[in-house]
Amino acid sequence: AQRESSAVVKYGGTFTLADNNLHISDISVTGVFWVNTFYLDDAGFTVNTASTIAISNNNMVATQVALQDWDCAVIHATDASITIDTGGTILISNSVAAVSDVSAGAAWFWKAMFLTDTLFKVKAASRFSYSDNTLTSSTLKMGWAMYLIGCRQSAITIDTGSTFALDRNIIGFSASNLESWTSVVFYGFESHIFVNSNSLMSITHNEWDLTGSTIVGAMSVFVVQWELCSPIISASSTFILSGHSMAVTDVTLSSDGMDWSMMLLECDECTVSDTSTLSISNNKILIVDVSTVSWSMAILTLKESDTNIKSGSTLALDNNYMLFSQSTLSSFWQTFVILTEYSQVTVDDTGSTVSISNNEISVAVTTIGSYCKMNMYSSINSS
């Protein structure tokens, strides 16, 4: 833990947090339970000149635990500055969180990295990777919010040939009782997100499995949800959102009139410019044997946004698949490949492209009480 301090790893140095285990069992906690692997408070951390931070093979096992509030993170930064520069690397990999028979009075927040009022920079051919990690849970009784990467009132900059990767993580739930459940791979609120100068943001092949669970209240699952973030992909950079699998099978949903939603990307004020690419492809949303009030699914949602694809850039929504089967809805079901609400979408300048191709929406053996809406492209109060 660091407070009002700074640390620098440079000139080929290595900082390793590896092969650590945290076991919690048969305890009761009143108040907030904080668990962090790497914690920065009003602190600075710099990794540069071909140096490495490796956070790997760390395991957390919690069973038979009663809590009021749980806040768990691998990297937790508040009023901090994290810089990866000149070939530096932060790798978070091969860690497991296995949680069973746990209850909480209020909520459980689980985060791989959460930034609040923090500057996070990856630049000059550097790399940040949160990949190949697993979260498995069973017999949970609580509200739940899970963010692999989250930022609030922060700035994330991926610059000058650098890479930001969230790949091949697995989120599995079984036989759980969850209340007002939210899961987001990359969540942002009132933050600035920049990917430029031949850089790459890769969010691929993350998986969910919610087999045999009961969820009360609202449920929302996003791969990327950026609220008031104004992301900019520019200068021959690439943002890839592909290979995801969202599976909801044999789940009881009691929403009391609330919507259930699963989205690949929801954002506002998005700009893709200067021969850059935003690619959303080869994703699957599979809903089988589910009974609830209403359901919404979308690949790309633009709400109250000003989205610009310009200067030879590309927005591609290709080869995505959505299945809804053997289910019962008492109210309505709606699905979209792209949905714009109260938004303005502009595709301009020579060579700019929006491609929506080879997508499939399938509904079979399903009873819908009110109405069903299926649209490839849907524009509501937008232009």
Side-chain angles (χ1 to χ4, degrees):
Q2 288 189 295
R3 184 173 179 84
E4 297 181 356
S5 60
S6 64
V8 180
V9 182
K10 62 182 181 178
Y11 303 126
T14 301
F15 181 99
T16 302
L17 275 167
D19 304 308
N20 300 291
N21 295 300
L22 171 65
H23 294 272
I24 305 170
S25 64
D26 196 18
I27 64 171
S28 178
V29 179
T30 300
V32 180
F33 195 153
W34 289 73
V35 180
N36 299 291
T37 300
F38 196 91
Y39 179 69
L40 302 174
D41 188 345
D42 198 11
F45 205 102
T46 301
V47 185
N48 64 23
T49 321
S51 296
T52 301
I53 290 183
I55 304 175
S56 62
N57 299 304
N58 299 293
N59 299 318
M60 180 184 73
V61 178
T63 183
Q64 293 182 325
V65 177
L67 305 166
Q68 183 63 30
D69 285 287
W70 173 289
D71 199 316
C72 174
V74 177
I75 295 180
H76 192 149
T78 302
D79 297 315
S81 176
I82 301 173
T83 302
I84 312 171
D85 193 5
T86 321
T89 302
I90 290 184
L91 299 175
I92 306 174
S93 63
N94 298 310
S95 295
V96 175
V99 183
S100 63
D101 196 13
V102 174
S103 62
W108 181 341
F109 291 92
W110 189 89
K111 313 154 186 172
M113 182 174 76
F114 202 88
L115 311 175
T116 303
D117 297 316
T118 292
L119 298 176
F120 183 86
K121 297 179 181 179
V122 186
K123 59 184 183 177
S126 295
R127 179 177 177 83
F128 172 84
S129 174
Y130 181 87
S131 302
D132 301 301
N133 300 284
T134 301
L135 172 64
T136 60
S137 305
S138 64
T139 58
L140 297 175
K141 301 177 183 67
M142 65 191 71
W144 178 274
M146 188 282 294
Y147 311 108
L148 289 191
I149 302 296
C151 57
R152 181 179 292 273
Q153 297 173 334
S154 297
I156 294 178
T157 302
I158 317 300
D159 194 9
T160 323
S162 295
T163 300
F164 182 101
L166 285 86
D167 302 326
R168 301 178 305 278
N169 300 289
I170 297 174
I171 302 149
F173 294 87
S174 63
S176 295
N177 294 295
L178 306 173
E179 296 183 11
S180 298
W181 185 71
T182 300
S183 175
V184 187
V185 170
F186 192 164
Y187 172 75
F189 179 75
E190 292 185 345
S191 296
H192 297 288
I193 298 167
F194 305 102
V195 184
N196 56 33
S197 300
N198 293 291
S199 294
L200 171 65
M201 178 173 285
S202 171
I203 304 178
T204 67
H205 298 95
N206 300 287
E207 297 185 13
W208 287 259
D209 189 352
L210 299 173
T211 301
S213 292
T214 298
I215 303 174
V216 178
M219 184 193 85
S220 56
V221 178
F222 296 87
V223 177
V224 177
Q225 183 185 28
W226 288 335
E227 299 180 90
L228 304 176
C229 287
S230 304
I232 297 175
I233 318 298
S234 66
S236 301
S237 294
T238 303
F239 176 24
I240 298 176
L241 194 62
S242 69
H244 293 92
S245 177
M246 300 179 176
V248 179
T249 303
D250 187 23
V251 173
T252 301
L253 306 174
S254 175
S255 65
D256 297 325
M258 298 180 182
D259 284 348
W260 302 85
S261 58
M262 303 185 78
M263 311 286 179
L264 264 296
L265 172 62
E266 180 179 277
C267 70
D268 59 347
E269 307 295 335
C270 179
T271 298
V272 185
S273 66
D274 304 320
T275 64
S276 295
T277 300
L278 168 54
S279 175
I280 306 172
S281 61
N282 299 299
N283 299 287
K284 294 180 180 180
I285 301 177
L286 309 174
I287 314 300
V288 180
D289 192 15
V290 171
S291 297
T292 187
V293 174
S294 58
W295 194 283
S296 299
M297 297 191 296
I299 299 299
L300 173 62
T301 305
L302 303 171
K303 292 185 176 181
E304 299 179 3
S305 71
D306 185 2
T307 296
N308 294 288
I309 313 300
K310 60 184 183 179
S311 304
S313 294
T314 300
L315 168 61
L317 288 89
D318 303 326
N319 301 302
N320 299 290
Y321 178 67
M322 291 184 279
L323 168 68
F324 203 99
S325 176
Q326 301 174 36
S327 298
T328 301
L329 304 177
S330 60
S331 182
F332 70 89
W333 178 79
Q334 57 184 353
T335 183
F336 313 93
V337 170
I338 180 169
L339 167 65
T340 66
E341 291 186 300
Y342 302 96
S343 299
Q344 178 174 312
V345 181
T346 303
V347 184
D348 67 5
D349 297 327
T350 303
S352 295
T353 302
V354 172
S355 170
I356 305 173
S357 63
N358 297 305
N359 300 285
E360 182 175 342
I361 303 172
S362 179
V363 184
V365 198
T366 291
T367 300
I368 300 172
S370 180
Y371 69 88
C372 175
K373 183 186 293 184
M374 299 174 64
N375 295 301
M376 284 291 173
Y377 178 87
S378 180
S379 180
I380 302 172
N381 293 311
S382 300
S383 62

